[in-house]
Amino acid sequence: MRNTVWRVQDSSFAMQLLPEKYMLDRSQPLRCYATGKTTWIGGSLPGIVWLKGQLGRVPPVLHYGKYFISDVFQDREGNILLSTFDQGILVIPNLAIPDVIDPFAAEPITALHISRRNGRLYLGTTRGNLLEFQAGELRPLVQDGNRPVEGIFGTPTSERLIFQGGDEIMVLDPKAGKMSLGIKSALKDVVFVEPDLAFLATSRGIFRCEWKSARLPTVMLLPEFAFRIHHMVEDKRGNALVASTSRGLYHIPLNGPSKRLQLAGEDVFPTAMYAAGNKVFAASRLHGILVLEEGRFIARIVPEIGRMEAISKLVIDKDRIFAKSSHGIYQLGMDGRMERNIGKAFGFLKSRVFDFELEDDRLWVSHSGGVQAIDLSFSALRQAPPQLRLVKVTVNDKTASASVAGDFASDERKIRFDIAFPSLRSRETLRIHYQLEGYDNAWMLKLDDEFAIVYNALEPGNYTFRAKAENQGQFSEPVAYSFSIATPIYRRWWFTALILLVAAAVIGAIYRRQMTLQSRKARQINELNASKLAAIQSQMNPHFIFNAMNSIQDLILKGDVENSYSYVTTFSNLVRSTLKYSEKDFIDFEQELELLRLYLSLEKLRFEDELEYVITNMVDEDIQLPPLLIQPFVENALLHGLLHKEGVKQLLIRFELREALICTIEDNGIGRQRATEIRERQRGEHESFSGKAIRTRFDILSDVHKGEFGYVLEDLMTDGEATGTRITCKSLCGAVFSIVFHSFAKPVHS
């Protein structure tokens, strides 16, 4: 038969036709799915019905009316998976968990209150309405609010309720009805110290309300606390109030002066407070949960909730702590240890939690999915965690074996471990603990939702990675993976020893080279000094002195006092200047020129009127050059070229500056060939300086100053016969020592 549902008995295989009401008035084809002893009936229209136990006792209810269910499947954990056409997969962890009493989609519930006197549940909505829930029915109490109800407060011995109604604080009394307290402020907390005496914590301060009749109470603002109050509870043993304010935490005796409570000299700003027995519990983001007794801090509880979250509501019951934060509701032990994360098992872990109330072992929770009653004794909350599996090990972004111990190279230092676990039910409540022995032996807690642990830059060494799962305080067996990272070559002992040996060899070579250079430089300086001495000796040789003195003597004998005096002065100046300049590396070009003039003026006495010389200076820049550099060439021209010349002896000296300083010396002497023949015949000793000493000095100057010093000798020919000699001297510094010698190679401006 079309569009009928039959039930088959397990023992007798007898078929039973279900009433038409299980078809939910649908004429379209139906589909049936079985998960254990539960039957699911769906079709081409949205929603699905599930059947279990004796039929007929409970009328069928359509679930998930917004979804088109295409398939139903039950996994190994007992989760029911409902496949939809276009909105993913719906997961039902356990069918025994009661659903919300109402989704309140249009008007979410922001505040809850359980009356201990009559067991009724009061609900405040985002639109300021007040509802009552009893025996499965909802009844409106107040429907004229215009702002969300942030809190509902009452006393166990009375049905009187205080709540926020619009812009004012309202009272709902069974006898007097609803009335305003005349306080236009935001209500934060209420403490009933007696059935007819309450203290109200508001954004304007603390108000004292006392009912002396069934009508309106007398209301008075405590002048000492006329500022914003956040939370307030009663310290029964101390007969006082404890208030969290914008200025800190205060202990306020009902009959006595108040005092500000500080911890280690600093103010405390609790985010939630609760009074249990004779103690007050104050939750603080910085300090955890502080325990106070008679206005003194006596203990501290650090909640083990994975992160120091801001607790917005706190309830203490039967050695249990229930704490609400932006991430859900936690149940903790009195030592702060996590007992369970109340969430996924009841389908609201990722929903926003507005408020909760505790009633024995039942927890009423208002969240974005509706209002739900949770049985805290439900065994599903204590299920064991699934076994972890190390599915992949990645080394430098390349996959390695997860089952074989790894031996990695020194540059393979980025290690990633990917962990998986076969569970849908425990996925949101599961927490991963891990450690890396050899890096940090302490167990770490994975705080994010990614089940991958990454180490970016491990040092060389041996390591063992371990991880284990925790579900509601229960731990699985850990998984382990051992690996090692090789020590790089540059950190091994033999490499260090080799580097030290190479460094020692290099230092030794550098030292030997420096010593060689120093020795060479010292030798060159000695040779240069020797060449200078040779130049001085040439300048002051006995033959020159003897000739000069004879010439001066002849002038004296002739009675030419004026010229004799002049030549004596010239001779003394030449000697003094020669000794003075010989100590210097460089002298001004004008000084060298003046020294040359002094020398030639004395030599003219020797040759008398036969010697004619002209010095042409075409250099108009300030330059420098080594001392006594030109005089030896002039002396050679006089000694070897002009001395044996008959008739007028002419000597031309010209200085010019091009890319280098050029000095040209020309004479009309007998030429180099005849001069050499005469010298060899006379076997004179002056050649030792004139030739060898000059070349030696020029070589030393070129080497020491990294420049170019040289000269060129050539004969002046007339009709094929040598009629004189030209000497061209050149001095040019190198770029390496341009700072020192540039002045003598090119113009230097003073």
Side-chain angles (χ1 to χ4, degrees), residues 386-435:
Q387 293 299 316
L388 290 183
R389 291 188 297 112
L390 183 60
V391 296
K392 186 169 66 173
V393 176
T394 306
V395 182
N396 284 9
D397 300 324
K398 296 181 180 179
T399 303
S401 174
S403 58
V404 180
D407 294 320
F408 306 132
S410 59
D411 60 340
E412 296 178 321
R413 301 172 58 193
K414 180 181 178 182
I415 315 294
R416 172 187 170 117
F417 301 95
D418 287 275
I419 299 172
F421 52 91
S423 175
L424 286 176
R425 180 177 299 180
S426 304
R427 187 173 186 84
E428 301 296 343
T429 59
L430 195 83
R431 301 195 300 175
I432 303 298
H433 299 257
Y434 65 95
Q435 71 167 177

Side-chain angles (χ1 to χ4, degrees), residues 321 401 444 648 711:
I321 300 176
S401 174
M444 308 296 292
V648 178
Y711 63 93

Side-chain angles (χ1 to χ4, degrees), residues 618-737:
M618 301 177 66
V619 179
D620 57 357
E621 303 289 345
D622 293 334
I623 61 175
Q624 289 186 325
L625 72 165
L628 307 176
L629 192 66
I630 306 301
Q631 185 272 339
F633 295 101
V634 176
E635 179 184 350
N636 282 344
L638 293 173
L639 181 62
H640 302 296
L642 297 177
L643 181 63
H644 303 288
K645 166 74 176 176
E646 296 293 338
V648 178
K649 301 173 177 56
Q650 295 178 343
L651 181 65
L652 175 63
I653 303 173
R654 183 174 64 254
F655 293 94
E656 57 184 329
L657 187 64
R658 301 174 190 167
E659 73 279 0
L661 177 63
I662 305 297
C663 176
T664 304
I665 304 173
E666 296 182 3
D667 64 70
N668 63 343
I670 61 176
R672 289 186 298 164
Q673 183 175 359
R674 288 186 58 194
T676 301
E677 294 173 356
I678 296 173
R679 189 167 57 252
E680 289 178 352
R681 186 169 59 249
Q682 295 177 350
R683 297 185 180 276
E685 297 180 356
H686 201 69
E687 163 65 18
S688 61
F689 172 79
S690 299
K692 183 178 179 180
I694 291 175
R695 285 192 295 271
T696 300
R697 189 182 185 200
F698 270 57
D699 291 340
I700 294 174
L701 288 172
S702 298
D703 193 16
V704 172
H705 300 311
K706 306 301 180 184
E708 183 181 347
F709 296 83
Y711 63 93
V712 177
L713 294 174
E714 56 182 328
D715 289 327
L716 300 176
M717 308 297 292
T718 302
D719 298 330
E721 183 179 354
T723 58
T725 304
R726 178 188 291 127
I727 304 174
T728 303
C729 301
K730 180 182 180 182
S731 59
L732 177 67
C733 79
V736 176
F737 292 91

Side-chain angles (χ1 to χ4, degrees), residues 371-644:
V371 176
Q372 188 174 355
I374 296 175
D375 184 1
L376 295 176
S377 62
F378 182 57
S379 60
L381 292 175
R382 293 287 183 177
Q383 60 182 328
Q387 293 299 316
L388 290 183
R389 291 188 297 112
L390 183 60
V391 296
K392 186 169 66 173
V393 176
T394 306
V395 182
N396 284 9
D397 300 324
K398 296 181 180 179
T399 303
S401 174
S403 58
V404 180
D407 294 320
F408 306 132
S410 59
D411 60 340
E412 296 178 321
R413 301 172 58 193
K414 180 181 178 182
I415 315 294
R416 172 187 170 117
F417 301 95
D418 287 275
I419 299 172
F421 52 91
S423 175
L424 286 176
R425 180 177 299 180
S426 304
R427 187 173 186 84
E428 301 296 343
T429 59
L430 195 83
R431 301 195 300 175
I432 303 298
H433 299 257
Y434 65 95
Q435 71 167 177
L436 185 60
E437 185 178 333
Y439 174 76
D440 187 356
N441 294 332
W443 283 90
M444 308 296 292
L445 182 63
K446 188 70 174 171
L447 299 180
D448 53 40
D449 296 332
E450 293 292 331
F451 292 99
I453 294 94
V454 181
Y455 296 91
N456 286 311
L458 291 175
E459 291 293 321
N462 299 318
Y463 301 93
T464 299
F465 173 78
R466 295 184 180 88
K468 58 185 177 180
E470 176 202 355
N471 186 20
Q472 311 293 349
Q474 300 185 65
F475 291 87
S476 67
E477 290 296 324
V479 295
Y481 179 82
S482 298
F483 64 97
S484 63
I485 300 177
T487 303
I489 293 178
Y490 62 85
R491 294 180 60 177
R492 299 181 184 180
W493 69 268
W494 59 265
F495 184 84
T496 303
L498 179 61
I499 291 297
L500 292 176
L501 289 175
V502 172
V506 171
I507 293 173
I510 294 174
Y511 176 76
R512 288 193 298 272
R513 175 176 173 79
Q514 291 297 323
M515 293 300 295
T516 301
L517 293 177
Q518 291 292 335
S519 176
R520 180 181 177 185
K521 185 175 181 180
R523 185 175 66 254
Q524 291 173 342
I525 292 174
N526 291 334
E527 292 176 353
L528 185 60
N529 291 334
S531 69
K532 287 182 180 180
L533 180 60
I536 297 173
Q537 290 174 348
S538 173
Q539 189 90 313
M540 298 290 104
N541 66 78
H543 181 68
F544 169 75
I545 297 174
F546 178 77
N547 289 336
M549 296 303 295
N550 279 339
S551 299
I552 295 172
Q553 183 180 4
D554 288 341
L555 292 174
I556 295 174
L557 292 176
K558 292 178 180 179
D560 192 350
V561 178
E562 184 178 352
N563 285 329
S564 63
Y565 175 78
S566 175
Y567 278 104
V568 169
T569 302
T570 301
F571 180 75
S572 64
N573 288 337
L574 176 64
V575 173
R576 182 171 60 253
S577 298
T578 301
L579 295 177
K580 177 182 177 182
Y581 296 156
S582 64
E583 297 177 353
K584 299 181 179 181
D585 292 331
F586 293 94
I587 62 174
D588 292 337
F589 172 69
E590 292 297 335
Q591 293 175 327
E592 177 74 9
L593 203 61
E594 180 62 26
L595 193 65
L596 190 60
R597 290 193 182 100
L598 292 175
Y599 173 75
L600 287 174
S601 64
L602 291 175
E603 286 288 5
K604 188 171 178 59
L605 286 177
R606 176 183 178 185
F607 290 97
E608 296 181 350
D609 295 334
E610 293 183 355
L611 176 63
E612 296 178 359
Y613 67 89
V614 177
I615 300 177
T616 304
N617 180 17
M618 301 177 66
V619 179
D620 57 357
E621 303 289 345
D622 293 334
I623 61 175
Q624 289 186 325
L625 72 165
L628 307 176
L629 192 66
I630 306 301
Q631 185 272 339
F633 295 101
V634 176
E635 179 184 350
N636 282 344
L638 293 173
L639 181 62
H640 302 296
L642 297 177
L643 181 63
H644 303 288

Side-chain angles (χ1 to χ4, degrees), residues 9-291:
Q9 298 288 341
D10 294 338
S11 57
S12 62
F13 295 99
M15 299 181 64
Q16 177 186 0
L17 179 63
L18 298 184
E20 292 184 1
K21 62 182 179 179
Y22 290 97
M23 296 174 57
L24 301 175
D25 299 328
R26 297 187 177 189
S27 59
Q28 291 80 9
L30 302 177
R31 295 191 303 272
C32 294
Y33 307 94
T35 58
K37 295 183 179 181
T38 302
T39 302
W40 302 80
I41 302 175
S44 58
L45 293 179
I48 196 166
V49 175
W50 66 279
L51 309 175
K52 185 177 181 180
Q54 296 295 325
L55 301 178
R57 296 182 180 179
V58 179
V61 178
L62 182 69
H63 298 277
Y64 306 107
K66 297 181 180 180
Y67 300 90
F68 289 90
I69 308 300
S70 60
D71 197 2
V72 180
F73 175 76
Q74 185 175 22
D75 65 10
R76 296 179 181 179
E77 291 185 309
N79 302 306
I80 305 299
L81 309 181
L82 304 180
S83 176
T84 69
F85 280 108
D86 58 354
Q87 300 190 51
I89 297 176
L90 305 178
V91 180
I92 305 176
N94 197 308
L95 292 174
I97 299 174
D99 200 359
V100 295
I101 61 174
D102 192 285
F104 296 102
E107 197 172 352
I109 303 301
T110 55
L112 297 174
H113 174 68
I114 290 287
S115 174
R116 302 295 189 272
R117 187 172 183 274
N118 54 27
R120 295 175 182 175
L121 175 66
Y122 296 95
L123 307 91
T125 74
T126 56
R127 297 182 180 177
N129 297 325
L130 192 64
L131 307 176
E132 180 187 65
F133 179 78
Q134 187 178 30
E137 294 185 1
L138 283 169
R139 183 171 68 91
L141 296 178
V142 177
Q143 291 184 299
D144 57 353
N146 57 15
R147 60 182 295 176
V149 177
E150 300 293 343
I152 306 172
F153 307 94
T155 174
T157 59
S158 172
E159 296 185 11
R160 184 181 294 125
L161 298 177
I162 300 178
F163 64 98
Q164 184 83 46
D167 295 331
E168 295 185 317
I169 299 176
M170 310 296 294
V171 176
L172 184 64
D173 193 293
K175 298 179 179 179
K178 186 189 73 170
M179 64 190 76
S180 172
L181 293 178
I183 304 174
K184 291 186 177 182
S185 181
L187 181 63
K188 301 298 182 180
D189 221 331
V190 177
V191 175
F192 283 91
V193 296
E194 295 178 4
D196 293 326
L197 178 60
F199 289 87
L200 281 61
T202 74
S203 58
R204 288 176 50 196
I206 300 177
F207 289 85
R208 185 179 188 275
C209 298
E210 185 176 6
W211 282 265
K212 296 182 179 180
S213 65
R215 297 299 300 172
L216 286 174
T218 58
V219 179
M220 180 183 66
L221 175 65
L222 301 186
E224 186 181 353
F225 293 94
F227 49 85
R228 179 178 291 274
I229 312 297
H230 299 298
H231 307 281
M232 190 168 61
V233 295
E234 181 184 8
D235 179 5
K236 293 183 179 180
R237 173 171 290 185
N239 192 27
L241 302 174
V242 179
S244 171
T245 76
S246 59
R247 301 180 184 179
L249 185 64
Y250 284 86
H251 187 261
I252 310 170
L254 298 181
N255 298 303
S258 61
K259 65 176 180 179
R260 181 185 295 183
L261 305 181
Q262 292 184 320
L263 186 64
E266 295 183 356
D267 287 324
V268 180
F269 297 91
T271 57
M273 299 175 66
Y274 191 83
N278 295 320
K279 296 182 177 62
V280 172
F281 297 82
S284 169
R285 181 187 290 271
L286 295 178
H287 307 290
I289 300 175
L290 301 173
V291 184

